[in-house]
Amino acid sequence: FSRMKPVIVVHGGAGRIFKEREEGSRAGVVRAALRGYGILKQGGSALDAVEEAVRSMEDDPHFNAGCGSVLNEKGEVEMDAIIMDGKNLDSGAVSAVKCIANPIKLARLVMEKTKHMLLTDHGAHLFAQAMGIPETPEERLITERSRERWKKNLEPDSNPEEFQKDLGTVGAVAIDSEGNVACATSTGGLSNKLIGRVGDTACIGSGGYADNRSGATSTTGHGESIMKVVLARLILYHMEQGMSPEMAADTALDYMKTRVGGLGGVIVVNSSGEWAARFSTKQMSWATVKDDQLHYGIYAGERHTKSVDEALASESEGF
C-alpha cells in the first residue's frame, strides 16, 4: 500500500478582486493552504485539513464568509457552509445561519452528530446551542466594508448585480496520505440578497462534492447558475469520463457560461492527487500545496511558487 502524497487546494472566491484587497486575499489563501497542509503533513485527515483551511478564511475579514460576510437586504449576515467526506459520501451543511463565527464547524457537527445533512436558520441555531457553540454578536461579523456596500446597494439607482462580481465564497479540497478526499465551502452569499436566500454553497453537488473514487471539488461564483448545472458534481462526472482535473473544470465552467450565462471558479483534486484551480471570472484567489511546494495566484495565468519552508518563514514575519 503506497501512501498518497497529501495535497490541499483552497480558493478565496471568484469575481473581481479590487486592487487594494489583492495583498490581503493572497496572504489569506496562502495562510489557509499552509494551515491545512500542516494537518495533512502530520498524517491528519483531509476532512480536518479542509475544515481548518476554511475556518482560517472565515476568520479573515478579506473574505465573504464568517467575519466579513456581506449583508442581506435587511442588513443582516446570513451564512451557508458545507463539508463532505469522500470516503462514505457523508456530508453536513448549514444555511442562513446567523451569529456564529465559523459556520464550517457547525456543518461538520451536522455531518457527525445528526442523521441529517442540512440544517437551516432557526433549527441550525438551536443545534448550535445544543452543541455548545458560542454565539457571536452580529456586529463582530460585520465589517465596515460590508456595511458600506449594503448602503450603496440600497440607493435607488444602484445596481447590486455590479457588486456581485466581488463574491468571495471560500473553499478547500484535499487528499490525505490515506487517499481520502474531502471538500469544504463557506459563504456569506450575495450582497443585499432576499432574507432566507440560500445559494449553491449549502447544496451538495453544487457548492462542493467529494468522492474517493474520483476526487473533490469546491466552487465559487454566481450561486444560482452553479445550482442550475450542479457544477461540483458535473466536474467529477467529467473526471469519471477520464478527463484531467483542469480539463474537467474548464469543460464544466464553459458549459455553465454558454448554457446559463454564469461565471465562476473551482478548485479540484482527483484521486491520484492531481489538482486544478480554474475560473471564468476576471480573478480568483487560490493557493495549493503539494510536495512541500506552495503555488498561488489571483489572475488568469498567474502562478507564484515558493517552498513551504520559505512560505512559513515569511508567514511568521507577516507578509
Side-chain angles (χ1 to χ4, degrees):
F1 177 70
S2 65
R3 289 178 81 69
M4 275 300 298
K5 278 192 174 148
V7 182
I8 187 158
V9 195
V10 305
H11 71 71
R16 185 179 52 189
I17 296 163
F18 297 100
K19 269 278 178 263
E20 73 276 9
R21 301 180 65 77
E22 264 182 36
E23 273 320 289
S25 294
R26 270 201 194 93
V29 288
V30 164
R31 185 179 306 120
L34 290 170
R35 284 194 181 164
Y37 191 67
I39 289 174
L40 295 171
K41 210 42 194 162
Q42 290 157 11
S45 70
L47 217 43
D48 286 345
V50 295
E51 182 187 359
E52 176 56 33
V54 165
R55 198 190 58 74
S56 141
M57 291 184 284
E58 286 176 340
D59 292 343
D60 185 330
H62 281 92
F63 303 108
N64 173 17
C67 171
S69 289
V70 297
L71 312 187
N72 68 11
E73 56 179 357
K74 245 177 80 182
E76 304 166 331
V77 166
E78 286 189 313
M79 300 165 290
D80 303 337
I82 193 168
I83 193 164
M84 187 166 180
D85 183 350
K87 199 172 12 199
N88 47 16
L89 308 188
D90 274 351
S91 179
V94 292
S95 69
V97 296
K98 299 185 180 87
C99 301
I100 60 166
N102 298 111
I104 200 65
K105 272 187 159 149
L106 191 56
R108 174 94 185 249
L109 288 167
V110 169
M111 176 173 85
E112 294 183 341
K113 305 285 185 207
T114 77
K115 294 193 173 80
H116 308 309
M117 286 171 81
L118 173 58
L119 291 181
T120 192
D121 199 357
H122 184 58
H125 175 72
L126 293 175
F127 176 66
Q129 280 181 330
M131 289 289 122
I133 289 189
E135 229 175 278
T136 301
E138 186 167 57
E139 32 307 350
R140 293 249 307 271
L141 299 174
I142 297 177
T143 58
E144 198 38 53
R145 178 169 181 265
S146 297
R147 199 179 289 289
E148 281 306 303
R149 168 183 305 186
W150 173 70
K151 282 199 191 115
K152 263 210 179 78
N153 286 344
L154 289 178
E155 291 164 12
D157 55 349
S158 84
N159 173 12
E161 291 299 299
E162 240 330 274
F163 285 91
Q164 301 312 358
K165 296 206 169 98
D166 180 20
L167 290 158
T169 299
V170 305
V173 295
I175 187 165
D176 59 31
S177 55
E178 308 276 298
N180 293 314
V181 298
C183 70
T185 312
S186 180
T187 190
L190 294 177
S191 188
N192 297 62
K193 62 191 177 178
L194 292 181
I195 291 163
R197 177 264 189 188
V198 176
D200 65 295
T201 301
C203 301
I204 189 171
S206 294
Y209 203 82
D211 182 349
N212 280 5
R213 293 180 180 180
S214 43
T217 179
S218 167
T219 67
T220 166
H222 184 244
E224 281 71 13
S225 299
I226 290 171
M227 289 156 95
K228 286 174 187 176
V229 301
V230 197
L231 187 63
R233 189 67 191 82
L234 181 60
I235 291 166
L236 291 193
Y237 166 78
H238 286 314
M239 295 200 309
E240 287 157 6
Q241 305 301 305
M243 284 188 192
S244 69
E246 189 163 304
M247 183 82 188
D250 287 349
T251 304
L253 283 169
D254 190 53
Y255 174 72
M256 183 167 83
K257 190 172 174 178
T258 53
R259 187 70 180 87
V260 297
L263 300 180
V266 300
I267 51 173
V268 192
V269 65
N270 72 6
S271 52
S272 46
E274 297 173 294
W275 63 273
R278 309 293 292 168
F279 47 100
S280 52
T281 50
K282 278 209 171 64
Q283 292 143 294
M284 179 178 81
S285 54
W286 63 272
T288 183
V289 186
K290 181 180 181 174
D291 287 333
D292 289 318
Q293 290 289 307
L294 164 78
H295 309 276
Y296 59 97
I298 287 186
Y299 292 93
E302 177 195 357
R303 182 162 161 183
H304 305 280
T305 303
K306 279 183 179 175
S307 75
V308 165
D309 292 342
E310 188 190 343
L312 285 169
S314 58
E315 175 73 6
S316 54
E317 293 154 22
F319 262 67

